[in-house]
Amino acid sequence: MKNLTLCSVVAIAAMVSAVPAMAQPADQASHLDVNQLFATTCGWCHSDGGRVAGKGPQLMNTKRSDDFIRYRIKHGKEGAMPAFGSTLNDADIDKIIQYIRALKPEQP
Amino acid sequence: MKQKQRTLALSLTVAVGTAFAASTAMAQAIDSKRIEANNPNDWLTYHGSYNSYHYSGLTQINAKNVKDLSVAWIHIPGHSTRGLQSMPLVADGVLYYSGSYSRVFAIDGATGQVLWSYFPELDDALVARQTHSPYNRGVALGEGKVFVGTVDGRLIALDMKTGKPVWDTKLIDSQKLTIGFTGAPLYVNGEVVIGSQGGEWPVRGMIYAVDATTGKLRWDFNTIAPTDETKKTWGNDSWRVGGGGGWMPGGYDAETNTIWWGTSNGAPLYDWSGPDWMHNGARPGTNLYISSVLGLDAASGKLKFFHQENPHDVWDFDSAVGEFLMIDRAGQKYVVHPNKGGYIFVYDRSANVKNVWPISHNINYAKIDPKTGELTDRRDMTAGKQAEVLCPHISGGVSWNAGSYDPKTGLYYKIGNEWCMHLEVVKTTPVTTPQVQLNIGANFTIAPPPNGPIYGHLDARDPITGQTKWEVRFPEPPLASVLSTGGDLVFVPDARGTVHAYDATTGKELWNHGDGTGHQGGIISYAAHGKQYVAVVAGFGGMASDDYAPTFGGVFKSMPRDDGALVVYSLSK
């Protein structure tokens, strides 16, 4: 079974919180630009904005659950994906999941 | 977004028994003179010798009997996350090598018996947040010690006989800057030189020289705008997050006491400046000293000369590949240096360009004038999807592992790779808090060259002119180092897991053997008790090899990314 890996990073420093994501208020808004996020960091492993497999697996049309993706972003996977739990909050991660669910093939 | 790179020269001297002796009593101390003498029984420094030949003068294994080469012993290091990538070293019959997490082993070179091992305690939370981690590419030897860098920014000295730490010096604030050390150090005249990993991290990458006896910092060199004059080559104060570093060990010219070191690319890795990059984009200007070769005074670290191979590098075709072949020919002293973009630069001993020749057949990022080294027809991209593939691929027309120069044949055996990439350049903002993050500036996908499939090739070339004597093709780019020997052999460990031996003169394959998993590290030859051995590390899963499963399928789909072995061969008869 393949493991899903996700690279991500917070793009707006002001939004960064050192508080563990689980302890953050539920209504916290995210100002994350996920498109830019992929071009900054995630795209190193998740090619073409996550549309195709690269060093990490394809994210478009992933069968993984939201909970699985959230866990992987927070905790990473040894030797494959960094942990981003200290740089992304729950709202940021929700936004990344929305981005992944909305991924469509590139139009020629 | 001001960021200050602090050098934490906190030398922690570890008490080992009683007082630490400055030089362990040994058969013969390892100093620069001994490394320079280059006894073929040993392999004392990453590049085999200060002249970077990656050549063994041993002749016991040769073109006539290589068919009888078989496995003498194997060492399994365990916990080989991202495979094995290091270059083993040998002194006085003992083999020293490092695995993932900077674990170091000393092994009897004849029997494979482990004499000692050292597993440093790393900052696990930091390692979990790193991308280019936790692999290690090698150790250095000198003055009775083994030196190894760590991904959490330390340089450690171990007693060569016991494996006990002698000193442990923190050089990089990796908690903040994310980067650490993955490359091997270089021992020169009582100091240990090591460069920070990096390039696309918005930091200011450094090269450090540490006193081999005390572990105290002797000098450091900031690869990003170390002077007011060089700051002018970074528009809008972009030097503050410029990238750089020097992630592979360089070379040493003893005649002039000069360390040659190659530097990393800049951050963001790609730029959206377009052709007017002197005034536009993320980092307007030539960006000194990214993607450059540096000549540093070994005693002081002062810059003596430099050549920026790719001014305003916007392709990740940096100069950190550490080979600096010192070749004397017809009264001229040359230095030959491969650049990741697929060009081989030929310099005199002051980095004046004498020739530039391509080893890759598919290069479209720029042309380079062989007389001046100047780039023409540059691909300077603007934001958005690029209509044409960029060649070579980000993993390089030349990858970071080393070729080999055989002084008997006068040929340079070097891998060239043929692969390209689709690119969409995207404007990004550097992230430096709470911890520095990669700054790529693009989405990309691996792609074949315009006129054919992806492949790699071993070339036998004249190192000065680039003239080809012979070429062997591989269906997937080989990523490991190459070894030539006095026995008229060239050894090439390939990506599928087979080690090949070729006739050095003709390129005819004479022998091969499977190591069970892909190669992406070092290969050496040495002698112990009068018997010659060839040692190679196997174990896949690094930055370049991670693309192989989705790109090539086949054996790569099931190839482990957390496994490895040191396989040692000798003649069975």
mmCIF file of all heavy atoms in Angstrom, chain A residues 13-56:
data_model
loop_
_atom_site.group_PDB
_atom_site.id
_atom_site.type_symbol
_atom_site.label_atom_id
_atom_site.label_comp_id
_atom_site.label_asym_id
_atom_site.label_seq_id
_atom_site.Cartn_x
_atom_site.Cartn_y
_atom_site.Cartn_z
ATOM 1 N N ALA A 13 4.198 34.448 7.155
ATOM 2 C CA ALA A 13 4.860 34.236 8.433
ATOM 3 C C ALA A 13 3.989 34.653 9.606
ATOM 4 O O ALA A 13 3.998 34.037 10.669
ATOM 5 C CB ALA A 13 6.175 35.002 8.462
ATOM 6 N N ALA A 14 3.204 35.703 9.398
ATOM 7 C CA ALA A 14 2.381 36.221 10.492
ATOM 8 C C ALA A 14 1.360 35.199 10.972
ATOM 9 O O ALA A 14 0.877 35.281 12.100
ATOM 10 C CB ALA A 14 1.671 37.485 10.045
ATOM 11 N N MET A 15 1.030 34.257 10.111
ATOM 12 C CA MET A 15 0.006 33.285 10.484
ATOM 13 C C MET A 15 0.587 32.108 11.261
ATOM 14 O O MET A 15 -0.135 31.272 11.745
ATOM 15 C CB MET A 15 -0.677 32.735 9.228
ATOM 16 C CG MET A 15 -1.567 33.736 8.530
ATOM 17 S SD MET A 15 -2.823 34.373 9.654
ATOM 18 C CE MET A 15 -3.656 32.854 10.089
ATOM 19 N N VAL A 16 1.900 32.065 11.330
ATOM 20 C CA VAL A 16 2.515 30.918 11.968
ATOM 21 C C VAL A 16 2.279 30.936 13.464
ATOM 22 O O VAL A 16 2.362 31.969 14.101
ATOM 23 C CB VAL A 16 4.024 30.911 11.676
ATOM 24 C CG1 VAL A 16 4.731 29.863 12.521
ATOM 25 C CG2 VAL A 16 4.251 30.647 10.213
ATOM 26 N N SER A 17 1.946 29.808 13.984
ATOM 27 C CA SER A 17 1.754 29.715 15.425
ATOM 28 C C SER A 17 2.560 28.552 15.959
ATOM 29 O O SER A 17 2.618 27.498 15.359
ATOM 30 C CB SER A 17 0.272 29.490 15.714
ATOM 31 O OG SER A 17 0.120 29.120 17.061
ATOM 32 N N ALA A 18 3.184 28.774 17.084
ATOM 33 C CA ALA A 18 3.951 27.691 17.696
ATOM 34 C C ALA A 18 3.064 26.802 18.550
ATOM 35 O O ALA A 18 3.475 25.773 19.032
ATOM 36 C CB ALA A 18 5.064 28.275 18.547
ATOM 37 N N VAL A 19 1.814 27.257 18.743
ATOM 38 C CA VAL A 19 0.874 26.468 19.545
ATOM 39 C C VAL A 19 0.497 25.221 18.753
ATOM 40 O O VAL A 19 0.265 25.296 17.554
ATOM 41 C CB VAL A 19 -0.401 27.303 19.829
ATOM 42 C CG1 VAL A 19 -1.383 26.499 20.664
ATOM 43 C CG2 VAL A 19 -0.029 28.596 20.513
ATOM 44 N N PRO A 20 0.467 24.074 19.383
ATOM 45 C CA PRO A 20 0.061 22.877 18.653
ATOM 46 C C PRO A 20 -1.288 23.081 17.958
ATOM 47 O O PRO A 20 -2.200 23.697 18.521
ATOM 48 C CB PRO A 20 -0.045 21.816 19.754
ATOM 49 C CG PRO A 20 0.842 22.311 20.847
ATOM 50 C CD PRO A 20 0.804 23.800 20.767
ATOM 51 N N ALA A 21 -1.393 22.594 16.754
ATOM 52 C CA ALA A 21 -2.576 22.855 15.934
ATOM 53 C C ALA A 21 -3.859 22.421 16.621
ATOM 54 O O ALA A 21 -4.885 23.059 16.499
ATOM 55 C CB ALA A 21 -2.435 22.143 14.600
ATOM 56 N N MET A 22 -3.792 21.323 17.361
ATOM 57 C CA MET A 22 -4.998 20.796 17.996
ATOM 58 C C MET A 22 -5.579 21.786 19.010
ATOM 59 O O MET A 22 -6.749 21.752 19.329
ATOM 60 C CB MET A 22 -4.678 19.480 18.713
ATOM 61 C CG MET A 22 -4.273 18.355 17.778
ATOM 62 S SD MET A 22 -5.549 17.968 16.577
ATOM 63 C CE MET A 22 -6.742 17.175 17.629
ATOM 64 N N ALA A 23 -4.730 22.646 19.548
ATOM 65 C CA ALA A 23 -5.174 23.554 20.602
ATOM 66 C C ALA A 23 -5.676 24.884 20.063
ATOM 67 O O ALA A 23 -6.009 25.771 20.817
ATOM 68 C CB ALA A 23 -4.022 23.807 21.560
ATOM 69 N N GLN A 24 -5.725 24.997 18.747
ATOM 70 C CA GLN A 24 -6.082 26.286 18.175
ATOM 71 C C GLN A 24 -7.595 26.434 18.025
ATOM 72 O O GLN A 24 -8.318 25.459 17.879
ATOM 73 C CB GLN A 24 -5.403 26.446 16.819
ATOM 74 C CG GLN A 24 -3.891 26.616 16.986
ATOM 75 C CD GLN A 24 -3.201 26.612 15.662
ATOM 76 O OE1 GLN A 24 -3.810 26.357 14.650
ATOM 77 N NE2 GLN A 24 -1.914 26.887 15.688
ATOM 78 N N PRO A 25 -8.059 27.688 18.041
ATOM 79 C CA PRO A 25 -9.494 27.905 17.887
ATOM 80 C C PRO A 25 -9.989 27.406 16.532
ATOM 81 O O PRO A 25 -9.316 27.567 15.522
ATOM 82 C CB PRO A 25 -9.640 29.428 18.004
ATOM 83 C CG PRO A 25 -8.270 29.989 17.807
ATOM 84 C CD PRO A 25 -7.313 28.937 18.224
ATOM 85 N N ALA A 26 -11.187 26.838 16.558
ATOM 86 C CA ALA A 26 -11.710 26.217 15.340
ATOM 87 C C ALA A 26 -12.020 27.235 14.250
ATOM 88 O O ALA A 26 -12.030 26.903 13.078
ATOM 89 C CB ALA A 26 -12.966 25.427 15.681
ATOM 90 N N ASP A 27 -12.295 28.483 14.672
ATOM 91 C CA ASP A 27 -12.702 29.465 13.664
ATOM 92 C C ASP A 27 -11.517 30.244 13.101
ATOM 93 O O ASP A 27 -11.684 31.228 12.410
ATOM 94 C CB ASP A 27 -13.718 30.448 14.267
ATOM 95 C CG ASP A 27 -13.122 31.195 15.459
ATOM 96 O OD1 ASP A 27 -12.014 30.818 15.906
ATOM 97 O OD2 ASP A 27 -13.779 32.142 15.929
ATOM 98 N N GLN A 28 -10.312 29.782 13.412
ATOM 99 C CA GLN A 28 -9.136 30.493 12.915
ATOM 100 C C GLN A 28 -9.096 30.420 11.386
ATOM 101 O O GLN A 28 -9.176 29.349 10.798
ATOM 102 C CB GLN A 28 -7.874 29.862 13.494
ATOM 103 C CG GLN A 28 -6.620 30.604 13.079
ATOM 104 C CD GLN A 28 -5.433 30.168 13.908
ATOM 105 O OE1 GLN A 28 -5.512 29.188 14.619
ATOM 106 N NE2 GLN A 28 -4.355 30.908 13.820
ATOM 107 N N ALA A 29 -8.939 31.575 10.760
ATOM 108 C CA ALA A 29 -8.931 31.614 9.297
ATOM 109 C C ALA A 29 -7.519 31.364 8.788
ATOM 110 O O ALA A 29 -6.534 31.619 9.467
ATOM 111 C CB ALA A 29 -9.426 32.970 8.824
ATOM 112 N N SER A 30 -7.425 30.821 7.584
ATOM 113 C CA SER A 30 -6.131 30.616 6.954
ATOM 114 C C SER A 30 -5.985 31.564 5.780
ATOM 115 O O SER A 30 -6.904 31.727 4.984
ATOM 116 C CB SER A 30 -6.014 29.171 6.460
ATOM 117 O OG SER A 30 -4.882 29.045 5.631
ATOM 118 N N HIS A 31 -4.830 32.202 5.694
ATOM 119 C CA HIS A 31 -4.548 33.073 4.559
ATOM 120 C C HIS A 31 -3.554 32.412 3.604
ATOM 121 O O HIS A 31 -2.919 33.065 2.801
ATOM 122 C CB HIS A 31 -3.982 34.405 5.065
ATOM 123 C CG HIS A 31 -4.937 35.158 5.922
ATOM 124 N ND1 HIS A 31 -5.961 35.918 5.394
ATOM 125 C CD2 HIS A 31 -5.053 35.234 7.274
ATOM 126 C CE1 HIS A 31 -6.653 36.447 6.395
ATOM 127 N NE2 HIS A 31 -6.131 36.041 7.538
ATOM 128 N N LEU A 32 -3.452 31.121 3.727
ATOM 129 C CA LEU A 32 -2.488 30.374 2.938
ATOM 130 C C LEU A 32 -2.847 30.396 1.454
ATOM 131 O O LEU A 32 -3.995 30.162 1.084
ATOM 132 C CB LEU A 32 -2.487 28.922 3.442
ATOM 133 C CG LEU A 32 -1.333 28.024 3.079
ATOM 134 C CD1 LEU A 32 -0.033 28.544 3.649
ATOM 135 C CD2 LEU A 32 -1.609 26.625 3.643
ATOM 136 N N ASP A 33 -1.857 30.685 0.594
ATOM 137 C CA ASP A 33 -2.023 30.564 -0.848
ATOM 138 C C ASP A 33 -1.446 29.204 -1.231
ATOM 139 O O ASP A 33 -0.231 29.046 -1.347
ATOM 140 C CB ASP A 33 -1.266 31.705 -1.550
ATOM 141 C CG ASP A 33 -1.343 31.614 -3.076
ATOM 142 O OD1 ASP A 33 -1.629 30.514 -3.592
ATOM 143 O OD2 ASP A 33 -1.103 32.632 -3.737
ATOM 144 N N VAL A 34 -2.299 28.216 -1.394
ATOM 145 C CA VAL A 34 -1.820 26.839 -1.561
ATOM 146 C C VAL A 34 -1.115 26.658 -2.904
ATOM 147 O O VAL A 34 -0.159 25.888 -3.017
ATOM 148 C CB VAL A 34 -2.969 25.821 -1.378
ATOM 149 C CG1 VAL A 34 -2.438 24.397 -1.473
ATOM 150 C CG2 VAL A 34 -3.654 26.024 -0.037
ATOM 151 N N ASN A 35 -1.567 27.373 -3.928
ATOM 152 C CA ASN A 35 -0.859 27.309 -5.215
ATOM 153 C C ASN A 35 0.595 27.706 -5.040
ATOM 154 O O ASN A 35 1.504 27.043 -5.538
ATOM 155 C CB ASN A 35 -1.518 28.248 -6.242
ATOM 156 C CG ASN A 35 -2.703 27.592 -6.912
ATOM 157 O OD1 ASN A 35 -2.577 26.525 -7.506
ATOM 158 N ND2 ASN A 35 -3.851 28.219 -6.793
ATOM 159 N N GLN A 36 0.798 28.820 -4.327
ATOM 160 C CA GLN A 36 2.160 29.292 -4.111
ATOM 161 C C GLN A 36 2.921 28.335 -3.193
ATOM 162 O O GLN A 36 4.109 28.102 -3.369
ATOM 163 C CB GLN A 36 2.159 30.704 -3.507
ATOM 164 C CG GLN A 36 3.551 31.318 -3.497
ATOM 165 C CD GLN A 36 3.633 32.648 -2.786
ATOM 166 O OE1 GLN A 36 4.220 32.751 -1.723
ATOM 167 N NE2 GLN A 36 3.042 33.677 -3.387
ATOM 168 N N LEU A 37 2.200 27.779 -2.239
ATOM 169 C CA LEU A 37 2.800 26.829 -1.313
ATOM 170 C C LEU A 37 3.446 25.651 -2.054
ATOM 171 O O LEU A 37 4.563 25.247 -1.747
ATOM 172 C CB LEU A 37 1.708 26.324 -0.375
ATOM 173 C CG LEU A 37 2.013 25.175 0.563
ATOM 174 C CD1 LEU A 37 2.933 25.647 1.658
ATOM 175 C CD2 LEU A 37 0.727 24.648 1.165
ATOM 176 N N PHE A 38 2.732 25.133 -3.050
ATOM 177 C CA PHE A 38 3.280 24.007 -3.812
ATOM 178 C C PHE A 38 4.516 24.423 -4.589
ATOM 179 O O PHE A 38 5.497 23.674 -4.681
ATOM 180 C CB PHE A 38 2.211 23.403 -4.726
ATOM 181 C CG PHE A 38 1.470 22.270 -4.070
ATOM 182 C CD1 PHE A 38 0.504 22.533 -3.104
ATOM 183 C CD2 PHE A 38 1.765 20.955 -4.362
ATOM 184 C CE1 PHE A 38 -0.162 21.502 -2.457
ATOM 185 C CE2 PHE A 38 1.108 19.910 -3.721
ATOM 186 C CZ PHE A 38 0.133 20.188 -2.769
ATOM 187 N N ALA A 39 4.498 25.630 -5.141
ATOM 188 C CA ALA A 39 5.658 26.102 -5.912
ATOM 189 C C ALA A 39 6.823 26.481 -5.015
ATOM 190 O O ALA A 39 7.955 26.587 -5.474
ATOM 191 C CB ALA A 39 5.253 27.299 -6.766
ATOM 192 N N THR A 40 6.547 26.681 -3.734
ATOM 193 C CA THR A 40 7.610 27.036 -2.800
ATOM 194 C C THR A 40 8.283 25.787 -2.243
ATOM 195 O O THR A 40 9.506 25.692 -2.223
ATOM 196 C CB THR A 40 7.048 27.870 -1.628
ATOM 197 O OG1 THR A 40 6.303 28.959 -2.160
ATOM 198 C CG2 THR A 40 8.158 28.421 -0.748
ATOM 199 N N THR A 41 7.489 24.828 -1.807
ATOM 200 C CA THR A 41 8.037 23.692 -1.078
ATOM 201 C C THR A 41 7.490 22.340 -1.532
ATOM 202 O O THR A 41 8.244 21.441 -1.867
ATOM 203 C CB THR A 41 7.751 23.858 0.434
ATOM 204 O OG1 THR A 41 8.382 25.055 0.872
ATOM 205 C CG2 THR A 41 8.284 22.700 1.228
ATOM 206 N N CYS A 42 6.159 22.204 -1.568
ATOM 207 C CA CYS A 42 5.564 20.875 -1.799
ATOM 208 C C CYS A 42 5.975 20.279 -3.136
ATOM 209 O O CYS A 42 6.116 19.064 -3.279
ATOM 210 C CB CYS A 42 4.051 20.940 -1.750
ATOM 211 S SG CYS A 42 3.401 21.837 -0.376
ATOM 212 N N GLY A 43 6.126 21.174 -4.129
ATOM 213 C CA GLY A 43 6.401 20.724 -5.496
ATOM 214 C C GLY A 43 7.730 20.024 -5.648
ATOM 215 O O GLY A 43 7.982 19.393 -6.682
ATOM 216 N N TRP A 44 8.594 20.134 -4.653
ATOM 217 C CA TRP A 44 9.852 19.399 -4.703
ATOM 218 C C TRP A 44 9.576 17.900 -4.846
ATOM 219 O O TRP A 44 10.303 17.180 -5.507
ATOM 220 C CB TRP A 44 10.648 19.681 -3.426
ATOM 221 C CG TRP A 44 12.035 19.170 -3.473
ATOM 222 C CD1 TRP A 44 12.491 17.981 -3.012
ATOM 223 C CD2 TRP A 44 13.167 19.838 -4.039
ATOM 224 N NE1 TRP A 44 13.830 17.863 -3.242
ATOM 225 C CE2 TRP A 44 14.278 18.985 -3.871
ATOM 226 C CE3 TRP A 44 13.352 21.078 -4.668
ATOM 227 C CZ2 TRP A 44 15.553 19.331 -4.310
ATOM 228 C CZ3 TRP A 44 14.622 21.414 -5.093
ATOM 229 C CH2 TRP A 44 15.696 20.556 -4.922
ATOM 230 N N CYS A 45 8.509 17.458 -4.202
ATOM 231 C CA CYS A 45 8.181 16.025 -4.202
ATOM 232 C C CYS A 45 6.898 15.723 -4.968
ATOM 233 O O CYS A 45 6.765 14.661 -5.569
ATOM 234 C CB CYS A 45 8.022 15.524 -2.769
ATOM 235 S SG CYS A 45 9.467 15.831 -1.750
ATOM 236 N N HIS A 46 5.930 16.631 -4.901
ATOM 237 C CA HIS A 46 4.626 16.381 -5.516
ATOM 238 C C HIS A 46 4.544 17.212 -6.791
ATOM 239 O O HIS A 46 4.230 18.402 -6.764
ATOM 240 C CB HIS A 46 3.507 16.724 -4.546
ATOM 241 C CG HIS A 46 3.576 15.927 -3.274
ATOM 242 N ND1 HIS A 46 3.264 14.587 -3.223
ATOM 243 C CD2 HIS A 46 3.976 16.256 -2.022
ATOM 244 C CE1 HIS A 46 3.436 14.139 -1.984
ATOM 245 N NE2 HIS A 46 3.875 15.128 -1.246
ATOM 246 N N SER A 47 4.852 16.555 -7.912
ATOM 247 C CA SER A 47 5.063 17.263 -9.167
ATOM 248 C C SER A 47 3.788 17.864 -9.720
ATOM 249 O O SER A 47 2.677 17.377 -9.445
ATOM 250 C CB SER A 47 5.676 16.303 -10.199
ATOM 251 O OG SER A 47 6.957 15.897 -9.784
ATOM 252 N N ASP A 48 3.999 18.920 -10.531
ATOM 253 C CA ASP A 48 2.900 19.578 -11.239
ATOM 254 C C ASP A 48 1.766 19.938 -10.280
ATOM 255 O O ASP A 48 0.596 19.647 -10.520
ATOM 256 C CB ASP A 48 2.396 18.680 -12.381
ATOM 257 C CG ASP A 48 1.534 19.454 -13.377
ATOM 258 O OD1 ASP A 48 1.537 20.703 -13.319
ATOM 259 O OD2 ASP A 48 0.847 18.813 -14.182
ATOM 260 N N GLY A 49 2.130 20.556 -9.183
ATOM 261 C CA GLY A 49 1.130 21.013 -8.218
ATOM 262 C C GLY A 49 0.390 19.890 -7.516
ATOM 263 O O GLY A 49 -0.677 20.105 -6.953
ATOM 264 N N GLY A 50 0.939 18.682 -7.551
ATOM 265 C CA GLY A 50 0.304 17.526 -6.927
ATOM 266 C C GLY A 50 -0.500 16.686 -7.904
ATOM 267 O O GLY A 50 -1.108 15.688 -7.523
ATOM 268 N N ARG A 51 -0.459 17.074 -9.190
ATOM 269 C CA ARG A 51 -1.275 16.354 -10.188
ATOM 270 C C ARG A 51 -0.655 15.033 -10.622
ATOM 271 O O ARG A 51 -1.356 14.139 -11.099
ATOM 272 C CB ARG A 51 -1.511 17.254 -11.421
ATOM 273 C CG ARG A 51 -2.425 18.423 -11.133
ATOM 274 C CD ARG A 51 -2.544 19.362 -12.330
ATOM 275 N NE ARG A 51 -3.383 20.509 -11.988
ATOM 276 C CZ ARG A 51 -2.925 21.592 -11.356
ATOM 277 N NH1 ARG A 51 -1.657 21.671 -11.001
ATOM 278 N NH2 ARG A 51 -3.736 22.580 -11.061
ATOM 279 N N VAL A 52 0.672 14.942 -10.535
ATOM 280 C CA VAL A 52 1.330 13.695 -10.942
ATOM 281 C C VAL A 52 2.323 13.267 -9.863
ATOM 282 O O VAL A 52 2.755 14.076 -9.047
ATOM 283 C CB VAL A 52 2.065 13.842 -12.297
ATOM 284 C CG1 VAL A 52 1.112 14.180 -13.421
ATOM 285 C CG2 VAL A 52 3.174 14.887 -12.215
ATOM 286 N N ALA A 53 2.689 11.994 -9.905
ATOM 287 C CA ALA A 53 3.665 11.480 -8.943
ATOM 288 C C ALA A 53 5.047 12.025 -9.265
ATOM 289 O O ALA A 53 5.420 12.167 -10.421
ATOM 290 C CB ALA A 53 3.693 9.955 -8.999
ATOM 291 N N GLY A 54 5.774 12.368 -8.247
ATOM 292 C CA GLY A 54 7.189 12.728 -8.389
ATOM 293 C C GLY A 54 7.949 11.919 -7.375
ATOM 294 O O GLY A 54 7.761 10.710 -7.279
ATOM 295 N N LYS A 55 8.760 12.598 -6.574
ATOM 296 C CA LYS A 55 9.433 11.895 -5.484
ATOM 297 C C LYS A 55 8.393 11.389 -4.484
ATOM 298 O O LYS A 55 8.595 10.387 -3.809
ATOM 299 C CB LYS A 55 10.426 12.824 -4.799
ATOM 300 C CG LYS A 55 11.508 13.351 -5.738
ATOM 301 C CD LYS A 55 12.444 14.296 -5.007
ATOM 302 C CE LYS A 55 13.169 15.233 -5.950
ATOM 303 N NZ LYS A 55 13.838 14.582 -7.060
ATOM 304 N N GLY A 56 7.299 12.117 -4.387
ATOM 305 C CA GLY A 56 6.169 11.697 -3.568
ATOM 306 C C GLY A 56 5.003 11.315 -4.479
ATOM 307 O O GLY A 56 5.025 11.563 -5.687
#
